[in-house]
């Protein structure tokens, strides 16, 4: 009987070893991919927005919304209020390491790649360059250069602060807060972002990403696990 009692333990150990082996291979392959493909993307600077085009003030605006602890975390941040479940590093993993990303078990791969492949091998400055040039901003636009031209018919450096924040406001859900299709929603989010930037509102927890309650019709359109009504009760 004791021998049979050990079977579940042995099976559990084998499964655990298999999982560890699988994710070890995932990280190893991701590190090689980072050294080749991601490095090639960084070398393609034609028409790209550079960090020189982004003032320190505007960088602070972006980080306050998207990744408050960006320069201090190692790819993953599960404690900073307002950080959410996806750092800038993890967003880049979605873009460059997955053909199609869906919430669920892929989140584990995304997190491990961010922590052990992308963040150790790509500088914070280069991660920002990738983010501002490849983040999706609706209407099939990629990055701030394309979005600036599409939505405002301006170059990125000619945007006003409000126009810049209108694009930042779209990052979390480009369709829901699209400045062209839903200007009133976008304007509300911009006003709330300004309150955070100016220190008039402090996020209440990790996933306080909207800085206040949203209407029911909007909540239904938000990304999964991004809105928690308990913050605003």
């Amino acid at each position: 009987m004791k021998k049979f009692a050990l079977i579940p333990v042995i099976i559990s150990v084998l499964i655990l070893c298999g999982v560890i082996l699988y994710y070890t291979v995932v990280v190893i392959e991701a590190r090689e991919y980072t050294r080749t493909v991601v490095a090639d993307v960084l070398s393609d600077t034609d028409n790209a927005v550079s960090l020189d085009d982004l003032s320190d003030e505007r960088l602070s605006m972006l980080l306050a919304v998207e990744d408050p602890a960006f320069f201090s975390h190692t790819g993953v941040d599960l404690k900073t209020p307002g950080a959410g479940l996806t750092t800038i590093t993890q967003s880049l993993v979605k873009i460059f390491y997955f053909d199609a990303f869906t919430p669920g078990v892929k989140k584990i791969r995304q997190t491990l790649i961010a922590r052990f492949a992308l963040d150790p091998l790509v500088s914070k400055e280069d991660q920002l360059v990738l983010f501002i040039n490849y983040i999706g901003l609706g209407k099939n636009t990629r990055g701030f250069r394309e979005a600036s031209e599409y939505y405002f018919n301006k170059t990125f450096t000619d945007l006003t602060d409000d126009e810049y924040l209108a694009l930042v406001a779209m990052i979390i859900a480009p369709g829901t807060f699209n400045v062209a299709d839903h200007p009133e929603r976008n304007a509300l989010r911009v006003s709330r972002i300004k309150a955070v930037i100016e220190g008039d509102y402090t996020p209440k927890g990790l996933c306080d990403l909207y800085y206040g309650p949203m209407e029911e019709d909007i909540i239904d359109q938000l990304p999964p696990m991004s809105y928690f009504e308990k913050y605003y009760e």
Side-chain angles (χ1 to χ4, degrees):
M1 291 295 293
K2 291 183 178 179
K3 291 182 179 179
F4 289 111
L6 287 175
I7 291 177
V9 176
I10 294 171
I11 293 174
S12 297
V13 171
L14 290 174
I15 291 173
L16 178 61
C17 290
V19 169
I20 293 172
L21 178 61
Y22 170 76
Y23 284 115
T24 300
V25 171
V26 165
V27 169
I28 291 171
E29 291 179 345
R31 287 178 67 87
E32 183 60 31
Y33 182 87
T34 303
R35 293 188 182 97
T36 54
V37 177
V38 176
D40 287 344
V41 172
L42 276 168
S43 68
D44 181 12
T45 57
D46 292 344
N47 299 316
V49 174
S50 71
L51 288 186
D52 290 336
D53 297 322
L54 192 65
S55 68
D56 290 344
E57 182 181 10
R58 289 191 174 181
L59 175 58
S60 295
M61 293 176 180
L62 176 66
L63 294 182
V65 177
E66 289 301 310
D67 200 339
F70 175 70
F71 280 108
S72 60
H73 68 59
T74 53
V76 180
D77 181 8
L78 295 176
K79 61 182 181 180
T80 304
L85 298 177
T86 304
T87 62
I88 283 176
T89 313
Q90 288 170 298
S91 293
L92 293 175
V93 172
K94 282 185 183 180
I95 295 169
F96 293 108
Y97 297 77
F98 290 87
D99 292 329
F101 182 89
T102 53
V105 70
K106 288 184 179 180
K107 187 71 178 178
I108 300 173
R109 289 177 57 201
Q110 177 204 33
T111 300
L112 290 173
I113 291 170
R115 172 63 182 85
F116 296 108
L118 184 56
D119 197 70
L121 297 177
V122 179
S123 71
K124 293 291 187 179
E125 290 74 17
D126 282 345
Q127 288 181 47
L128 285 171
V129 170
L130 290 172
F131 187 79
I132 62 179
N133 283 287
Y134 287 93
I135 192 65
L137 288 167
K139 305 294 185 182
N140 294 316
T141 62
R142 280 282 180 192
F144 282 89
R145 180 186 66 80
E146 287 186 11
S148 301
E149 293 170 357
Y150 183 89
Y151 293 108
F152 299 110
N153 196 28
K154 292 182 177 182
T155 63
F156 175 70
T157 52
D158 286 337
L159 292 179
T160 66
D161 282 348
D162 279 356
E163 290 167 341
Y164 170 70
L165 286 177
L167 298 182
V168 172
M170 292 168 53
I171 294 174
I172 194 168
T176 305
F177 297 105
N178 192 280
V179 67
D181 295 341
H182 304 289
E184 71 295 335
R185 294 180 187 173
N186 184 275
L188 173 61
R189 179 153 172 77
V190 167
S191 68
R192 291 180 174 181
I193 287 172
K194 286 182 177 179
V196 173
I197 292 169
E198 293 165 5
D200 295 328
Y201 182 90
T202 301
K204 302 176 186 300
L206 177 68
C207 290
D208 182 4
L209 307 179
Y210 301 99
Y211 320 130
M214 305 299 296
E215 299 292 336
E216 286 296 330
D217 62 324
I218 299 178
I219 294 172
D220 293 339
Q221 302 174 41
L222 299 177
M225 299 296 291
S226 72
Y227 182 81
F228 295 89
E229 203 163 10
K230 66 179 182 180
Y231 289 130
Y232 318 116
E233 293 174 352

